[in-house]
Amino acid sequence: MLDKIIYLNKSFNFKPNVEAPKAMLKAYPIYSESPLKLISFDKGNHVFVKDETERMNIGSFKATGGIYAVAQLISRKWYSMYGKALRPGDFHTPSVKKFASNITFVCASAGNHGLAVAAGANIFGAKAIIYLSNSVPNSFALRLENYGAEVVYSGGTYEQSCQTAIEYSKCSDDVLLADSAWIGYVDPPMLIMEGYTIIAEELREKFEYNNNWPTHVFVQAGVGGLAGSLTHMIRMNWKKQPKIIVIEPEAAPCLLESAKSSTPVAVTGPLSNMGRLDCKEPSLIALNILAKSDVEYLTVSDGEAMSAAQKLAENEVHTTPSGAAGFAGLIKYNPPINAQPLVIITEGVLL
């Protein structure tokens, strides 16, 4: 799946329509803007916290990408059949629901992407099959099944479950909706990342209104979808440019190692307690963005991520080591005393 190529390639250029996710997601009651908080950090300093722990009742930033991508792919199939574009309000009409009921979305997930795809399929009347590695907790499977998804456990790692999902989709008419990109598979993950742009836009609007911008942005990464999308938007339209630091688990620094090598690198390592970030192969779209965007990389240990989650809980922000990884990176990076850092808390506590 991971092609050894130079990834500065036009086929991976990310050119999102940032208005489309706003129009799509804001048309549904399930959408609300996630809060931007200011919490105490160290020695009286404060940090901006974008709190995704309750996003769209799913409890993860992934909701903005998966739900949006499901809608767009249904709309494209409708257009191919009828030659007419769907508007956001059309998806709940009986004719579109009936049409969507014949579409099944397939993906592999370390948890939250699968929840977003399952929720999107449920909202719009489609079906979903989610492949999980054996390391994903049963609580995730139960949540997926509550959205009507079929859950299939396959393989000991996220990458192995991905490969199974890919092979299954090749033998069926179902729609593969992966959140990573590789040679020959680009468009669906670009839609997911386009959905993530709404997070950056919510932030930009807040910072512009208050004229108070962050000096540093710490964003965690698995395959790199959120890091790539957020970085693209910051570099494209934020009036004041911060330093951007991409945080990865020590056990899975695929973006860091790829940046060092100027080619995609699949890493090896033990399982991490940052399960949603424990991805050994990067997204080529994300690599393409990050390579052109003047970012830094930093890895954090499982212990550092756990400690960061505990510190956040003291400030009434309840998350997991994966969700706290950006904050762990901030603590480890130790910016200047006058810095105004921003972290993204990507998920809530998993029940």
Side-chain angles (χ1 to χ4, degrees):
M1 185 174 73
L2 186 62
D3 297 79
K4 295 290 184 180
I5 62 163
I6 300 299
Y7 50 78
L8 287 173
N9 184 310
K10 288 184 179 180
S11 67
F12 299 108
N13 280 350
F14 184 52
K15 297 180 179 179
N17 174 2
V18 298
E19 296 303 317
K22 289 182 184 179
M24 181 70 236
L25 295 176
K26 289 184 178 181
Y28 292 88
I30 194 173
Y31 170 80
S32 63
E33 183 173 331
S34 66
L36 179 65
K37 301 176 179 178
L38 193 64
I39 68 171
S40 177
F41 164 46
D42 182 44
K43 299 175 183 176
N45 294 332
H46 291 82
V47 55
F48 292 115
V49 171
K50 181 66 166 169
D51 186 353
E52 297 289 312
T53 61
E54 297 184 7
R55 174 72 79 170
M56 297 173 72
N57 297 329
I58 292 174
S60 164
F61 79 96
K62 293 273 189 179
T64 61
I67 292 173
Y68 171 74
V70 166
Q72 291 301 304
L73 291 169
I74 292 171
S75 181
R76 290 180 182 186
K77 282 184 171 289
W78 178 274
Y79 185 85
S80 295
M81 179 71 72
Y82 300 109
K84 180 182 178 182
L86 291 175
R87 298 167 297 181
D90 293 336
F91 286 89
H92 285 312
T93 62
S95 59
V96 176
K97 283 272 194 179
K98 183 178 180 180
F99 178 82
S101 70
N102 295 308
I103 302 171
T104 299
F105 292 93
V106 178
C107 74
S109 177
N112 289 321
H113 173 60
L115 284 172
V117 172
N122 182 269
I123 290 168
F124 302 119
K127 300 179 181 69
I129 301 173
I130 314 297
Y131 284 82
L132 303 177
S133 75
N134 296 328
S135 63
V136 175
N138 289 335
S139 57
F140 261 121
L142 292 173
R143 291 182 69 189
L144 290 165
E145 289 169 350
N146 286 339
Y147 283 112
E150 178 184 346
V151 175
V152 180
Y153 275 95
S154 178
T157 67
Y158 169 73
E159 287 71 27
Q160 290 170 351
S161 62
C162 279
Q163 196 58 47
T164 306
I166 293 166
E167 294 303 320
Y168 171 82
S169 68
K170 289 177 180 178
C171 301
S172 73
D173 294 326
D174 297 343
V175 180
L176 180 66
L177 184 48
D179 61 352
S180 189
W182 54 89
I183 297 297
Y185 186 80
V186 176
D187 189 56
M190 278 198 178
L191 286 175
I192 291 169
M193 290 175 65
E194 187 170 82
Y196 296 161
T197 64
I198 200 168
I199 299 169
E201 284 293 274
E202 289 173 358
L203 286 165
R204 180 187 61 79
E205 290 168 4
K206 274 281 196 307
F207 294 137
E208 277 196 353
Y209 181 81
N210 295 317
N211 194 29
N212 189 21
W213 296 82
T215 57
H216 300 69
V217 175
F218 295 84
V219 57
Q220 55 268 61
V223 300
L226 175 63
S229 179
L230 185 62
T231 294
H232 174 86
M233 297 302 294
I234 290 171
R235 295 300 186 228
M236 183 181 78
N237 67 4
W238 283 26
K239 289 183 179 179
K240 294 187 178 180
Q241 289 294 304
K243 289 186 176 182
I244 300 174
I245 302 94
V246 178
I247 310 300
E248 295 181 283
E250 287 182 352
C254 61
L255 294 167
L256 169 61
E257 294 304 321
S258 297
K260 287 179 180 178
S261 301
S262 295
T263 192
V265 172
V267 300
T268 59
L271 293 176
S272 170
N273 67 356
M274 291 169 272
R276 264 62 65 203
L277 308 180
D278 192 4
C279 304
K280 311 301 189 189
E281 300 181 8
S283 166
L284 298 186
I285 303 170
L287 286 178
N288 198 47
I289 294 167
L290 298 173
K292 300 181 289 187
S293 300
D294 187 26
V295 303
E296 301 175 36
Y297 295 91
L298 184 66
T299 62
V300 295
S301 69
D302 284 9
E304 288 167 334
M306 180 63 75
S307 176
Q310 292 167 350
K311 290 180 183 295
L312 286 165
E314 294 170 3
N315 286 276
E316 301 302 321
V317 178
H318 299 283
T319 187
T320 65
S322 295
F327 189 60
L330 163 62
I331 295 169
K332 189 170 186 176
Y333 189 89
N334 192 25
I337 195 167
N338 61 346
Q340 294 194 115
L342 165 69
V343 300
I344 317 296
I345 307 304
T346 51
E347 66 178 14
V349 174
L350 309 176
L351 301 176

